[in-house]
Amino acid sequence: MEYFCYHRDRPGSLALREELLEEHWSYMDRYAKELIARGPTFAADGETPTGSVHIVDLPDAATARAFAFDEPNYQAGAYRDVLIRRWRNVLGRTMWDFPGGSEGGNRYLVVGLGEGPAADPGLPTAAQDDLIAYGPLLSDDGGTWLGTACLLRAASPDEARAVLTADRYAGIEVHDWEFGGRR
């Protein structure tokens, strides 16, 4: 089962995150085969980290929660909260298989939260070549649609936001994002 995890930084935690960088990467190395996508999000300045995305294929919700809450930055208090949801890999690939590669262009995390009938269940045709990861956010049992999360390359935050149908979501977040992992 695939899970979307978004750890949001606690304000003022940059020094702690920098101190724990090697521990974080070593922890993620243990999940290298299970990771579909990973990477930090940033504030509008493009420099200040605001969170960390991990999309991972794990056996069940309990394992996904352990993955998210045992992470060194979470354990040390660098994160203020964590969003964990079942996710379905509509593209059927990892970020490392993205034809556009890991460099060049602006990259974004777009998260739309909603309820009721699923919005945007298929691939958005306008941005298909720029999608890095795309899929619905689901309840633990996979039966209820709760939103959509995607990673994509786009010219601007507004273009990234437009990949989701705005009036079908309670809210849409757009964050600067980059491919994560060891440099």
Side-chain angles (χ1 to χ4, degrees):
M1 290 178 223
E2 298 147 336
Y3 291 88
F4 172 85
C5 301
Y6 184 40
H7 293 84
R8 296 173 195 270
D9 284 13
R10 182 177 308 283
S13 66
L14 178 58
L16 182 57
R17 279 192 66 168
E18 288 174 347
E19 178 184 324
L20 296 170
L21 187 60
E22 181 56 38
E23 282 185 62
H24 167 76
W25 280 347
S26 293
Y27 182 80
M28 290 302 149
D29 287 348
R30 296 182 354 212
Y31 293 92
K33 291 180 182 171
E34 292 85 6
L35 283 165
I36 296 167
R38 67 186 282 192
T41 57
F42 296 92
D45 66 10
E47 301 281 326
T48 306
T50 59
S52 193
V53 174
H54 299 95
I55 302 174
V56 63
D57 190 355
L58 296 169
D60 52 45
T63 305
R65 285 182 181 88
F67 166 81
F69 296 123
D70 289 345
E71 194 278 338
N73 287 318
Y74 181 83
Q75 288 291 308
Y79 298 131
R80 70 177 168 105
D81 61 60
V82 182
L83 172 65
I84 305 170
R85 293 286 182 258
R86 282 268 306 267
W87 186 78
R88 189 172 62 250
N89 188 353
V90 173
L91 298 174
R93 67 174 186 225
T94 71
M95 71 179 201
W96 298 277
D97 300 321
F98 172 58
S102 63
E103 301 293 325
N106 301 319
R107 312 298 170 105
Y108 299 95
L109 162 65
V110 180
V111 178
L113 300 177
E115 63 182 351
D120 302 314
L123 291 173
T125 54
Q128 236 172 7
D129 291 342
D130 293 315
L131 294 175
I132 299 165
Y134 185 90
L137 299 170
L138 305 165
S139 59
D140 281 353
D141 67 2
T144 303
W145 176 83
L146 302 172
T148 305
C150 67
L151 300 170
L152 76 156
R153 178 178 56 192
S156 68
D158 288 338
E159 185 179 298
R161 180 183 309 277
V163 82
L164 299 183
T165 308
D167 64 348
R168 299 290 309 279
Y169 295 88
I172 298 175
E173 302 175 14
V174 179
H175 306 271
D176 287 356
W177 173 82
E178 70 179 34
F179 276 62
R182 295 185 184 277
R183 308 280 183 256

